[in-house]
Amino acid sequence: MIRTKSDSDVTSLDPSSPRSPKRPVYYVQSPSRDSHDGDKTSSTQATPAFNSPTESPSHPSYGRHSRTSSGSRFSGTFSGKKFGRRRNDKGWLECDVILEEGNYDDLYGKGLSRRCQIMIALIGFILIFSVFCLILWGASRPYKAKITLKSLTVHNFYFGEGSDATGVPTKLLTVNCSVRMSVYNPATFFGIHVSSSPFSLMYSEITVATGQLKKYYQPRKSHRTVSVNLQGTKVPLYGAGASFAVSDSVEDGVPIKLVFEVKSKGNVVGKLVKSTHRRRISCSLDIDSRKTKPIKFKHDSCAYE
């Protein structure tokens, strides 16, 4: 169908009109809506030309020609029915969704769960830490505290006649003395806690005096001299009293044996890794009740186990 120009159109295109310049007119022939039914009838529509690209349909206009531009922009090959597609409520063309085959649950199911990963990491950390602690424990074993007995000073040593707690007459011995010894910690990376079992001063299998080392802490690579006081008050000697009196009357003095045990404990890694050593020490010496000078221990008179 060919559109004819009306008088108003002729007037608007008149060169003498001052309102608008003369613009060329061209015609676009587009298929009708019934072209799919086999109708070959075509319609011709007049479309005004534009002097600049900004006035073309590809550039939206916000002036008085905005509606005309929008209508021209969607009237051509961009029609939704041209491609057999429908538009949704927002005006977008609907398209088919491509569905991918396969189940992702099977793919993730083949891997380890989060809980299993945490358990494996925890077990691995425990094993590595255990090996590390075992290495430190093995490295700390050679570092034993070195004990050296220096001297024994007798402050009080005498015996006399008396009776025990049950009233049995016997000889009684009273002793008051002190032992000095040196402790050396050779460890290079940990300190030690030093303690001891009771010090026992013995005569013929009878304990005549006892003492206790007070527990203390000694830093690494350090020396310390400690003193332990031993006391025994009115200790009954029973059958050993006669031999004791004879030994005290001679020049050599009374044979006495000192026995004790020193314990050193080092915390290598806090309280998790500990290095513990024990040394049993026994020394033999002669005590003269008439002498008060310190008695030095001979090197061969003490046994360190």
Side-chain angles (χ1 to χ4, degrees), residues 136-211:
L136 289 180
W137 178 81
S140 66
R141 293 300 297 168
Y143 297 106
K144 298 180 180 180
K146 296 181 179 180
I147 312 297
T148 304
L149 288 176
K150 290 184 172 295
S151 63
L152 183 144
T153 303
V154 178
H155 306 290
N156 190 5
F157 188 89
Y158 67 91
F159 67 96
E161 297 290 339
S163 59
D164 61 3
T166 60
V168 177
T170 183
K171 291 186 179 298
L172 302 178
L173 177 64
T174 299
V175 179
N176 184 6
C177 60
S178 60
V179 178
R180 293 178 69 250
M181 64 179 183
S182 174
V183 182
Y184 172 62
N185 177 22
T188 57
F189 56 95
F190 63 90
I192 57 175
H193 297 270
V194 182
S195 61
S196 73
S197 64
F199 283 57
S200 298
L201 196 65
M202 305 180 68
Y203 171 77
S204 182
E205 302 300 326
I206 299 175
T207 302
V208 295
T210 58

Side-chain angles (χ1 to χ4, degrees), residues 104-304:
Y104 289 100
D105 295 337
D106 297 337
L107 179 61
Y108 292 118
K110 294 180 181 179
L112 296 175
S113 63
R114 184 73 173 178
R115 183 176 298 177
C116 292
Q117 293 177 358
I118 294 175
M119 292 298 297
I120 291 174
L122 182 60
I123 293 174
F125 172 77
I126 293 175
L127 289 177
I128 294 174
F129 184 75
S130 300
V131 173
F132 174 73
C133 292
L134 185 61
I135 293 174
L136 289 180
W137 178 81
S140 66
R141 293 300 297 168
Y143 297 106
K144 298 180 180 180
K146 296 181 179 180
I147 312 297
T148 304
L149 288 176
K150 290 184 172 295
S151 63
L152 183 144
T153 303
V154 178
H155 306 290
N156 190 5
F157 188 89
Y158 67 91
F159 67 96
E161 297 290 339
S163 59
D164 61 3
T166 60
V168 177
T170 183
K171 291 186 179 298
L172 302 178
L173 177 64
T174 299
V175 179
N176 184 6
C177 60
S178 60
V179 178
R180 293 178 69 250
M181 64 179 183
S182 174
V183 182
Y184 172 62
N185 177 22
T188 57
F189 56 95
F190 63 90
I192 57 175
H193 297 270
V194 182
S195 61
S196 73
S197 64
F199 283 57
S200 298
L201 196 65
M202 305 180 68
Y203 171 77
S204 182
E205 302 300 326
I206 299 175
T207 302
V208 295
T210 58
Q212 183 72 46
L213 173 65
K214 186 177 180 180
K215 184 178 180 180
Y216 70 93
Y217 175 79
Q218 186 165 339
R220 59 182 182 176
K221 301 289 289 184
S222 62
H223 292 267
R224 183 169 181 175
T225 301
V226 295
S227 178
V228 181
N229 190 39
L230 286 77
Q231 290 183 348
T233 303
K234 295 182 180 181
V235 179
L237 299 178
Y238 299 110
S243 60
F244 184 88
V246 174
S247 299
D248 187 49
S249 62
V250 298
E251 296 181 358
D252 293 338
V254 179
I256 297 294
K257 187 176 183 180
L258 177 65
V259 179
F260 64 96
E261 183 181 73
V262 176
K263 177 183 177 182
S264 62
K265 181 177 67 174
N267 296 328
V268 182
V269 183
K271 293 185 178 180
L272 297 177
V273 181
K274 300 179 181 180
S275 178
T276 304
H277 299 280
R278 297 176 182 270
R279 300 205 69 178
R280 182 177 175 82
I281 302 171
S282 61
C283 296
S284 299
L285 68 158
D286 297 327
I287 297 179
D288 190 351
S289 60
R290 294 177 295 271
K291 297 180 180 179
T292 59
K293 291 183 179 180
I295 303 172
K296 293 184 179 181
F297 292 95
K298 299 179 181 180
H299 181 70
D300 57 352
S301 65
C302 296
Y304 300 89

